[in-house]
Amino acid sequence: MARIAVAVSGGVDSLCALCRLRAEGHDLVALHGLFLPDNAATAGASLPPGGRSLSPAPHAPDAPRLWRVPPEARPEAPRPGPEIPLLAPSSDDALHALSPALPGLRDACRRLGIPLYLLDARERFAAQVIGPFIRAYAQGHTPNPCALCNAAIKFGALHEAAARLRADALATGHYARLAPHPLSGQLLLAPATDSRKDQGYFLGLVPPAALQRAVFPLAGLTKPQCAAAVAAAGLNVPLPGESQEICFIPPTDDAYRDFLLRHWAAENIPPPPSGPVILQTPDGETPLATHDGLWRYTEGQRRGLGIAHSEPLYVLAKDTRRNALIVGPRAALSMRGCRTAPANLFLSAALPRPDSNSEGLPPLPLRVRLRYRQQPVPATVRRLPDNSLHITLAPDAAPHFPSAPGQLAAVYDAHGFLLAAAVIREIF
């Protein structure tokens, strides 16, 4: 029986993970993280009447603070175990002020008999997810914050908190699966049963060592099965809706613009300037209009260009050197490949470097996914001396829409095992 920390967000997936591991008889602790600075009370600030401010838990200077949430809204005698202080206050109003999911999670964990801990990782989230996100947009890129969050927060801050709670592993509600690779025997990410929900792509930047201490209880389940399991356990779901694509930006029309402009101002980053919109055809380039900043567009975009033309136009590329937005007809949408930042390698022997003297594995047929919604396609992948990747798509396998710098390139073998992943720096 293992001691497992289960990351619980308040959604049905993480509650299902908690229920399944409890049914298997593991020694469990539940771990809920505070990530969003705009949606939670600041630690130490005023809380609802009758409450007290949060007290910091013992932690390293750069580590997020950790508390144990008492199962009742009244003082509780200390328990043996790690020196983690009780959260005070613990009324429903005070818990809701910290996180809307927290009162419901407290009740669910009380029903299951599982201790609940709260990690304040807002500063880490701001520094390692929001900061890179806003800087990437200022450079004209289209970043993937979920991949950054999984690496830095889910399997970074929460992973460290699990170790402080003396857990052997961290479980999450990701639809992902770890399985031994048929050639090496090494545990790698493999496709989950529910292919429509499979989230292995978003785990591509997680350090391999952290994945070796990960547990994915939903690997063999579908979404309806998860919902049924939680209902059978008699649990209410604190956050029943699907999580939005980018959790720290409200899903409104002007949210991206306002969010980026506000954070750029706070960091003294000038908004990217306007520049030319250039129509690219086989006959050459023709200036068409003026764009309002490359950050407002992404490769493959059609809607919102505001350009009258004889046929629909798409964003073909963002030329940051000239600060130009390159557009053209759908027939011109093409992508032959990309170059990446240094890759996160899960099976380095499958992608030997040109300067390596080791034999590695026999050459494997490779497939590459360049956006989450795209299917992996055949490709040739060269691993360069700095561990960056040069990816060339098979001539007849280019996606209908190009990817974008800042997105993730994930490399798979023919069985769907994730071999490597890296942030795209340049497309061609």
Side-chain angles (χ1 to χ4, degrees), residues 41-47 53-55 65 122:
T42 302
S46 298
L47 290 172
S53 62
L54 294 177
S55 301
R65 289 172 288 183
R122 288 172 289 182

Side-chain angles (χ1 to χ4, degrees), residues 81-267:
E83 294 299 324
I84 307 297
L86 286 174
L87 177 70
S90 57
S91 69
D92 281 359
D93 286 345
L95 294 180
H96 190 276
L98 290 169
S99 167
L102 204 47
L105 284 173
R106 190 265 311 274
D107 295 342
C109 289
R110 177 179 56 198
R111 183 181 182 92
L112 297 174
I114 297 170
L116 173 63
Y117 292 84
L118 176 69
L119 183 75
D120 185 355
R122 288 172 289 182
E123 290 184 5
R124 178 83 70 88
F125 188 86
Q128 298 187 354
V129 178
I130 295 179
F133 177 86
I134 65 170
R135 289 189 287 274
Y137 260 101
Q139 296 166 2
H141 296 169
T142 306
N144 188 320
C146 294
L148 293 179
C149 179
N150 282 326
I153 306 300
K154 305 287 178 59
F155 289 93
L158 289 179
H159 188 270
E160 295 162 13
R164 291 166 63 190
L165 294 170
R166 302 174 188 171
D168 303 305
L170 175 68
T172 70
H174 287 97
Y175 290 85
R177 180 167 66 96
L178 286 170
H181 191 270
L183 294 181
S184 72
Q186 180 179 334
L187 281 179
L188 297 179
L189 284 165
T193 296
D194 191 343
S195 59
R196 295 169 302 174
K197 297 291 293 182
D198 183 84
Q199 295 170 303
Y201 172 82
F202 292 111
L203 298 171
L205 298 183
V206 173
L211 277 181
Q212 298 308 304
R213 296 182 64 241
V215 177
F216 298 115
L218 309 190
L221 298 182
T222 64
K223 186 78 173 189
Q225 289 173 325
C226 286
V230 173
L235 301 181
N236 294 318
V237 181
L239 301 177
E242 288 282 350
S243 58
Q244 63 192 66
E245 186 171 341
I246 297 182
C247 63
F248 52 87
I249 299 181
T252 58
D253 290 342
D254 293 330
Y256 264 79
R257 177 184 180 276
D258 294 342
F259 179 88
L260 290 170
L261 290 173
R262 185 171 74 251
H263 281 78
W264 285 337
E267 293 201 13

